[in-house]
Amino acid sequence: MFYYNGDRYVGSWVEDKREGDGHYTYANGAYYKGQWKADEKSGVGVFDWHDGNIYEGEWKNNKRHGKGKYKYANGESYSGEWAEDQQHGKGIYKFQDGNTYEGHYVKGERTGEGIFTFANGDKYEGQFMDYKFHGQGTFHYAEGNRFEGRYANGKRHGKGTFYYTNGSKKDVNYNNGELIEQCAKNALI
């Protein structure tokens, strides 16, 4: 089927609606190849935006919904759960700089429990809100030391403890990322 705007569809039809397997090519070169239901992308399919961005996975009512993988033109990728065209549920995001996030998403944002691993080997495990460290978390340094404590809006906030590889620890207190108090001298654990 050819459309006046230059789009083209090749595939199954039921009662004048796309149904079953089909390939829809847009005039700009983008395409969707996969399953259709009642004239909407539904089931499993691939959408290539013809600009380097590609989604492969489940669809429902013309939206990414279920499990799928999105490859971005810049080399980044997301693999995980989708709902209503947004990252939602558990997923893994790989950044082009080598950083990785594995954890929960809510309506397209890193929110809930997750692990952010930096390319240099540092790692944060804990709670996120709106893409930022927020709540209780542990920051592991690549050399083996770690900080356990509270975060707010991506910054250390409140009481926490540094644990060192030599067995010592230091209790500290932060306000909006600024160290305001060392609660105790270094002590062996």
Side-chain angles (χ1 to χ4, degrees):
M1 158 81 101
F2 290 91
Y3 297 88
Y4 291 111
N5 65 358
D7 292 355
R8 181 177 78 232
Y9 174 74
V10 176
S12 303
W13 294 86
V14 173
E15 297 179 10
D16 290 330
K17 292 184 179 180
R18 292 169 288 212
E19 185 85 28
D21 293 331
H23 189 124
Y24 191 102
T25 304
Y26 296 84
N28 67 0
Y31 71 85
Y32 170 78
K33 182 177 181 181
Q35 298 171 327
W36 296 82
K37 183 175 181 180
D39 228 23
E40 294 182 329
K41 296 182 253 333
S42 263
V44 177
V46 176
F47 196 106
D48 185 330
W49 277 262
H50 194 60
D51 62 1
N53 293 305
I54 300 171
Y55 172 78
E56 182 174 357
E58 297 175 319
W59 294 80
K60 182 178 178 184
N61 302 328
N62 269 344
K63 296 179 180 176
R64 293 166 288 188
H65 195 89
K67 293 188 185 291
K69 182 170 187 175
Y70 193 107
K71 295 178 188 174
Y72 295 87
N74 66 2
E76 297 182 348
S77 67
Y78 170 80
S79 182
E81 298 173 334
W82 295 79
E84 295 292 315
D85 234 16
Q86 295 181 327
Q87 300 158 341
H88 190 81
K90 291 183 181 179
I92 300 172
Y93 194 102
K94 295 182 179 180
F95 297 85
Q96 64 182 357
D97 61 7
N99 295 339
T100 303
Y101 170 77
E102 182 173 355
H104 286 88
Y105 283 82
V106 175
K107 295 183 180 179
E109 297 184 349
R110 288 190 294 270
T111 297
E113 292 292 322
I115 300 170
F116 194 99
T117 304
F118 295 86
N120 69 357
D122 291 348
K123 179 171 61 173
Y124 170 83
E125 295 181 76
Q127 299 170 328
F128 288 78
M129 182 181 285
D130 300 331
Y131 294 99
K132 298 176 183 170
F133 306 161
H134 192 86
Q136 188 66 31
T138 301
F139 194 98
H140 300 269
Y141 293 90
E143 71 273 2
N145 298 328
R146 75 182 189 276
F147 171 80
E148 294 180 9
R150 307 257 333 141
Y151 288 80
N153 295 314
K155 297 178 181 176
R156 292 179 180 149
H157 189 77
K159 293 185 179 185
T161 304
F162 279 101
Y163 294 91
Y164 300 98
T165 56
N166 67 5
S168 65
K169 72 175 188 173
K170 181 175 20 175
D171 293 327
V172 294
N173 197 0
Y174 280 88
N175 184 19
N176 201 27
E178 297 289 326
L179 180 63
I180 58 172
E181 178 183 9
Q182 292 187 22
C183 301
K185 293 184 178 180
N186 289 350
L188 291 177
I189 299 175

